[in-house]
Amino acid sequence: MINKTPLSVHLATLLLLTGTHLAVSASQDWPANTDEIVFACRQEGHDGHWYANFGYYANDETRKAYGQQGRLVILNVRTGQTRLLLEDVQGTVRDPQVSYDGQTILFSYRPGGTDQFHLYEIMRDGTGMKQLTHGIYDDFEPTYLPDGGIAFVSSRGKRWVNCWLTQVAILYRCDRDGSNIQPLSCNGEQDNTPWPLPDGRLLYMRWEYVDRSQVDYHHLWTMNPDGTGQMVFYGNMSPGTLMIDAKPIPGTDEILSIFSPGHGAREHAGHVTLLTVKRGPNHESSAKRITQASHFRDPYPLSRNSFLVAAGPALLLMDRDGKTEQLYRLPEAWVKAGVTLHEPRPLRSRPRERLIPTRREDTQDTGRLILTNAYTGRHMEGVQPGDIKKLLVLEVLPMPIHYTGGMDPISYSGTFTLERVLGTVPVEADGSAYMELPALRSLFFVALDANDNSVKRMQSFLSVMPGETTSCVGCHEQRTYAVKNPNQPTPLALTRDPSRIAPIPGIPDVFDFPRDIQPILDRHCVPCHNTDRPDDQVILTGDRGPLFSHSYYTLTALQQISDGRDQAVSNRAPRSIGSASSPLMHKILTHHQDVNLSPNEIDRVRYWIESGAPYPGTYGALGSGMIGGYYENGQVGVDTDWPESKKAAQAIRRRCDGCHTGDRILPKTLSDERGVSFWRPDMGDPRLRLARHAVFNLTRPDKSLMLLAPLARDAGGYGLCQKTAANGDKTPLFPDTRDPDYQAILALCEAGQVCLDRIKRFDMPGFQPPRAYVREMKRYGILPKTVPQDQPLDSYALDREYWQSLWHQPEASSPQ
């Protein structure tokens, strides 16, 4: 009998006779109490990224990341019969998990006609389906906890992927009935696939990129079920693999996981991998790939030698050597509709994991961290006892919206994320520190010397739960070693109360280059480094190019700032990243050209570098004020179809291409990258000196290097580009500004100026953040829903209100 609801959902004990079933082989190590398997079916997400399978896309709310054709199915592996528990051809079903007694199935479901995934339970006989969570955010990947609660990932964190145009989901927990929802994570990027370990900890995937590559660090971490004790489990020093869907193998100390190549594949597809962490979290030999192919998904260990695995429309049984046997294949009609099989789980009882008492106190707004010895760790060569005097505390700030795969305009191939300078805490003579930190915030440290120069930089983040006290041994220390300090059994920092973070006076907490750094350059650098000096190739004026100011682009392209540069490198050598290794800081401290900055100006430059050297100080700048790049809307210009672009391109080809070849090729339009990778350029590429960001001036078009270089000196140009007559005489390419090709290039720059005046950049009067930014601020409750789109808005103030809305508030710690 089929019960048809208004959502066209079928709840039934319906036999599916059209699927293909192969009986379990007697030779397989098949558990005696495992007769039934539950799995989900659905169309896969429309995006190639593993995480983009819920919600909508940034600039088009009607474009959804999820598929449809949702079903929840039970297969009897002995008889081959299947029961359809739930069918919703316009909805989506995912992530079934079985209760400890084997009678209830917890899953995530988006009913047809709705947009959000929420958590549901249903009895294994198809009765008693009930919704557990509600609201405007997505909840999925649930797992039962030994304390009776449920852990899951959710978009309730109100943040977007820093390098894509979909939303982020991070770890939460709730009670069994869906109440008392609490965040377990404050990650700015994805958490995925939580699963209890036998010792009671939660094993999950954490993606992050603090001053390092955005596509290489998504590895396995653990936390306690209350969010305390967050710690790397495996792989955080090994770039290039997504490690996900990890589960303990019964009766062993091994983990079964998917290792998806590179930045990960759609729906978590990858190599089935066995893993042990006996030798610590960083030994690559501890992971053994048992499949050559990388199309497998959702492994579940039935026993030491038998694993359930999904592959396309098929349910497979796999052994430790990677040999497979097909147990079931979806009906062909479903396969033709693009439906694939996901998340197989045995319907059987299982023991509860160890119960870990909570260390969280939600009445507090801080936690405490103990650092035993800052000098203990790997790659600390040349750091002597006494060198480190304090720790700079920075916060990775969540992003309320994002539109592209790039970091523009937050930086040019550097940081994707704004970082807040919270202040410093002292380090004792023995290298210890004891500090009080704001709870549920993503924090990282930079070790500073007596002159506030960076010694060692953390390229990951940590967080503390409310009321938690946790500790670390040292800087990037070996996790298999304990600190040894026989002469001082108690760290000096523990002989006093924890240090509160001391703000740094006179500097902003979130830097904005045009506001905070450009005035310093104007006072001390621009008198020499400007467009009126043809012998100087370093332009430090604040004039605007197509995406950045000339000064910001120049400092970046000429590698005057040492930061992570979006590279797959971790645990860098001491003093090799940050202000201490930045040529700009060296010039300042050695009084380059007798320039003397004030102490406050030095601090501003130093801490701007340490906070990632961003261009804007607001996320409202994203998707706006740019000509060219990834993103196109009403606040971003694309000049390739402008009449001025076509005429200028013809002029440049006609007058310049004869000499400017190879590495010296010139951009033909305001958005022409000339083959230089916009996402991750080689910072040693000589083409960067002649990039569109440098040669086109949209503040003073006639000061564009594209015009000054070929213009005669007596006409106000540099006279650098010359043509040779038949008799060998050389004359400027443009003898005066009346040359038609000069005028064509000038017209392009003037058109760019007009476009920029219309679309507005974040540092221009009248700037308005993009429509999607305003939409999300309304959804988060930061702006009233009645605010008209054209009402003047201060994105700097809105960002701060948004960030503060995410802070843990003890007085508001009641259940959501």
Side-chain angles (χ1 to χ4, degrees):
M1 181 175 179
I2 298 175
N3 174 27
K4 182 176 287 188
T5 73
L7 293 174
S8 299
V9 177
H10 296 178
L11 302 175
T13 56
L14 178 68
L15 293 181
L16 302 175
L17 302 178
T18 53
T20 303
H21 166 258
L22 296 177
V24 176
S25 170
S27 63
Q28 288 281 9
D29 180 18
W30 187 266
N33 65 337
T34 307
D35 290 342
E36 292 188 318
I37 305 296
V38 62
F39 56 84
C41 305
R42 60 183 177 272
Q43 294 170 335
E44 296 184 1
H46 303 313
D47 198 311
H49 296 86
W50 90 87
Y51 52 83
N53 50 24
F54 69 95
Y56 53 86
Y57 287 82
N59 204 40
D60 183 1
E61 304 97 299
T62 65
R63 181 187 172 200
K64 311 300 183 182
Y66 49 76
Q68 298 183 339
Q69 297 276 336
R71 295 174 178 88
L72 189 64
V73 182
I74 291 178
L75 166 71
N76 187 303
V77 295
R78 306 291 181 184
T79 67
Q81 291 184 340
T82 55
R83 292 186 289 126
L84 186 62
L85 292 186
L86 187 153
E87 180 179 48
D88 186 347
V89 296
Q90 309 226 323
T92 315
V93 178
R94 56 179 296 174
D95 313 317
Q97 168 66 298
V98 179
S99 61
Y100 289 101
D101 63 6
Q103 299 304 307
T104 307
I105 301 166
L106 171 67
F107 62 102
S108 181
Y109 173 39
R110 182 196 61 80
T114 68
D115 290 329
Q116 279 77 42
F117 288 90
H118 288 119
L119 305 187
Y120 288 74
E121 280 187 327
I122 190 171
M123 301 302 292
R124 66 185 295 168
D125 63 2
T127 64
M129 190 171 96
K130 58 183 178 181
Q131 182 175 346
L132 303 182
T133 61
H134 305 79
I136 63 172
Y137 300 103
D138 293 275
D139 306 320
F140 53 99
E141 294 181 349
T143 189
Y144 287 111
L145 296 173
D147 61 14
I150 297 170
F152 60 100
V153 298
S154 177
S155 63
R156 296 170 187 268
K158 305 176 184 177
R159 57 201 73 190
W160 287 65
V161 176
N162 290 190
C163 64
W164 199 235
L165 43 159
T166 55
Q167 297 171 59
V168 160
I170 57 176
L171 275 168
Y172 279 75
R173 66 164 293 152
C174 65
D175 292 345
R176 178 71 180 264
D177 61 0
S179 64
N180 193 29
I181 296 175
Q182 295 178 317
L184 301 180
S185 168
C186 55
N187 193 359
E189 294 294 351
Q190 292 287 142
D191 299 325
N192 277 109
T193 59
W195 202 272
L197 291 170
D199 63 10
R201 292 178 298 161
L202 268 179
L203 178 64
Y204 66 102
M205 188 287 303
R206 171 168 130 175
W207 180 24
E208 59 168 65
Y209 40 99
V210 178
D211 300 326
R212 56 181 181 170
S213 167
Q214 97 240 44
V215 295
D216 286 288
Y217 295 94
H218 12 58
H219 299 118
L220 297 177
W221 288 69
T222 58
M223 65 167 62
N224 295 330
D226 63 353
T228 61
Q230 296 183 22
M231 182 68 64
V232 63
F233 185 77
Y234 184 79
N236 194 40
M237 301 292 289
S238 302
T241 303
L242 165 68
M243 304 175 185
I244 199 164
D245 286 305
K247 304 171 186 68
I249 299 176
T252 76
D253 57 8
E254 294 176 301
I255 299 296
L256 183 68
S257 180
I258 287 292
F259 278 29
S260 192
H263 189 34
R266 183 166 63 182
E267 297 288 356
H268 309 183
H271 303 279
V272 180
T273 303
L274 296 175
L275 169 67
T276 178
V277 293
K278 288 181 177 180
R279 290 181 287 178
N282 299 304
H283 280 267
E284 295 188 7
S285 61
S286 296
K288 177 186 176 184
R289 180 188 300 177
I290 64 173
T291 64
Q292 293 300 312
S294 60
H295 62 278
F296 300 102
R297 296 189 311 272
D298 310 317
Y300 189 102
L302 297 172
S303 65
R304 182 182 181 278
N305 195 50
S306 294
F307 315 139
L308 295 175
V309 179
L315 172 61
L316 307 177
L317 184 64
M318 180 179 291
D319 67 13
R320 293 177 64 87
D321 296 322
K323 297 176 182 178
T324 61
E325 180 179 349
Q326 181 172 289
L327 298 179
Y328 179 77
R329 179 180 169 87
L330 296 179
E332 196 58 32
W334 296 5
V335 177
K336 289 181 178 179
V339 176
T340 49
L341 190 147
H342 301 263
E343 299 103 23
R345 319 288 194 225
L347 271 169
R348 66 183 186 188
S349 62
R350 56 194 172 92
R352 288 181 184 266
E353 298 82 12
R354 174 175 170 260
L355 189 64
I356 300 177
T358 185
R359 294 193 282 134
R360 175 171 174 161
E361 298 179 31
D362 282 317
T363 57
Q364 300 188 29
D365 61 359
T366 63
R368 286 154 296 283
L369 175 69
I370 303 163
L371 169 63
T372 307
N373 188 344
Y375 302 103
T376 298
R378 293 164 293 175
H379 222 350
M380 295 292 288
E381 300 86 352
V383 181
Q384 301 299 320
D387 283 357
I388 299 173
K389 300 299 184 183
K390 63 184 76 170
L391 297 178
L392 176 66
V393 185
L394 298 110
E395 178 183 5
V396 182
L397 294 170
M399 188 174 285
I401 188 70
H402 197 79
Y403 311 97
T404 76
M407 66 288 288
D408 56 302
I410 300 298
S411 73
Y412 180 65
S413 192
T415 182
F416 284 77
T417 310
L418 295 177
E419 299 167 357
R420 185 204 305 273
V421 178
L422 296 185
T424 62
V425 293
V427 174
E428 303 294 340
D430 64 348
S432 64
Y434 182 30
M435 67 201 81
E436 190 168 2
L437 300 174
L440 276 166
R441 309 262 285 277
S442 298
L443 308 174
F444 69 101
F445 305 121
V446 180
L448 303 178
D449 65 16
N451 297 314
D452 294 332
N453 293 316
S454 55
V455 177
K456 185 75 173 179
R457 187 179 186 88
M458 184 175 172
Q459 289 181 272
S460 183
F461 76 89
L462 62 79
S463 58
V464 293
M465 291 295 109
E468 176 185 10
T469 298
T470 190
S471 65
C472 56
V473 173
C475 291
H476 299 274
E477 76 280 1
Q478 291 282 2
R479 298 304 169 93
T480 55
Y481 298 158
V483 68
K484 298 177 181 179
N485 194 354
N487 298 322
Q488 183 72 41
T490 300
L492 291 176
L494 291 183
T495 63
R496 55 169 174 77
D497 291 336
S499 303
R500 292 182 174 269
I501 300 172
I504 301 172
I507 71 161
D509 58 346
V510 180
F511 277 91
D512 182 278
F513 182 86
R515 181 193 66 200
D516 302 318
I517 304 301
Q518 187 61 50
I520 299 173
L521 302 179
D522 290 342
R523 283 191 292 272
H524 299 287
C525 308
V526 170
C528 292
H529 297 292
N530 59 69
T531 56
D532 295 328
R533 293 177 60 113
D535 56 332
D536 188 84
Q537 297 185 18
V538 179
I539 306 299
L540 295 180
T541 63
D543 292 349
R544 299 181 183 93
L547 265 76
F548 307 100
S549 69
H550 284 171
S551 54
Y552 184 84
Y553 175 76
T554 297
L555 291 173
T556 302
L558 297 186
Q559 302 179 72
Q560 295 299 297
I561 302 159
S562 175
D563 57 11
R565 284 292 94 191
D566 191 30
Q567 296 173 350
V569 181
S570 293
N571 193 17
R572 293 173 183 258
R575 303 181 178 91
S576 66
I577 185 174
S579 60
S581 60
S582 293
L584 174 63
M585 202 68 207
H586 176 75
K587 290 179 173 66
I588 290 172
L589 296 178
T590 57
H591 307 288
H592 174 72
Q593 298 294 320
D594 296 324
V595 168
N596 293 288
L597 274 64
S598 70
N600 176 260
E601 290 173 325
I602 294 173
D603 278 350
R604 283 177 176 258
V605 176
R606 171 183 286 115
Y607 294 114
W608 169 67
I609 295 173
E610 298 298 357
S611 61
Y615 180 42
T618 172
Y619 286 135
L622 292 164
S624 66
M626 300 179 284
I627 296 177
Y630 282 117
Y631 182 67
E632 179 179 358
N633 74 348
Q635 288 179 253
V636 173
V638 178
D639 70 319
T640 50
D641 293 329
W642 294 356
E644 295 88 351
S645 293
K646 296 178 180 179
K647 292 179 180 179
Q650 292 170 354
I652 295 168
R653 291 189 183 97
R654 182 167 51 248
R655 304 295 288 275
C656 306
D657 277 5
C659 295
H660 285 275
T661 61
D663 291 342
R664 301 180 65 246
I665 191 171
L666 294 173
K668 306 302 187 293
T669 67
L670 300 182
S671 56
D672 182 10
E673 294 287 355
R674 303 162 304 139
V676 176
S677 170
F678 184 83
W679 166 46
R680 190 182 283 180
D682 176 3
M683 299 311 294
D685 191 333
R687 291 177 295 175
L688 295 182
R689 285 185 173 271
L690 296 176
R692 65 191 184 101
H693 310 291
V695 301
F696 294 117
N697 190 321
L698 306 188
T699 301
R700 298 179 293 166
D702 62 327
K703 294 297 184 180
S704 296
L705 298 185
M706 185 71 82
L707 295 171
L708 293 173
L711 183 63
R713 283 179 175 268
D714 57 11
Y718 298 168
L720 297 176
C721 300
Q722 298 182 339
K723 58 183 178 181
T724 303
N727 61 2
D729 292 342
K730 293 184 176 181
T731 57
L733 198 63
F734 296 149
D736 56 50
T737 59
R738 294 171 296 178
D739 187 289
D741 287 339
Y742 175 96
Q743 288 295 319
I745 300 171
L746 176 63
L748 172 62
C749 299
E750 290 173 338
Q753 182 185 43
V754 171
C755 177
L756 194 56
D757 286 341
R758 174 179 60 81
I759 64 178
K760 304 295 185 187
R761 191 166 291 174
F762 65 92
D763 61 335
M764 297 173 68
F767 167 75
Q768 281 284 89
R771 181 190 65 84
Y773 175 94
V774 176
R775 179 198 69 216
E776 294 303 299
M777 288 302 186
K778 290 180 179 180
R779 187 165 73 105
Y780 302 150
I782 306 303
L783 282 172
K785 294 188 181 299
T786 56
V787 170
Q789 182 66 33
D790 57 354
Q791 177 174 319
L793 297 172
D794 181 351
S795 64
Y796 292 86
L798 288 173
D799 278 357
R800 289 184 179 276
E801 190 173 348
Y802 158 72
W803 294 324
Q804 291 175 12
S805 75
L806 304 176
W807 295 355
H808 174 70
Q809 300 292 342
E811 66 276 12
S813 61
S814 58
Q816 294 186 27

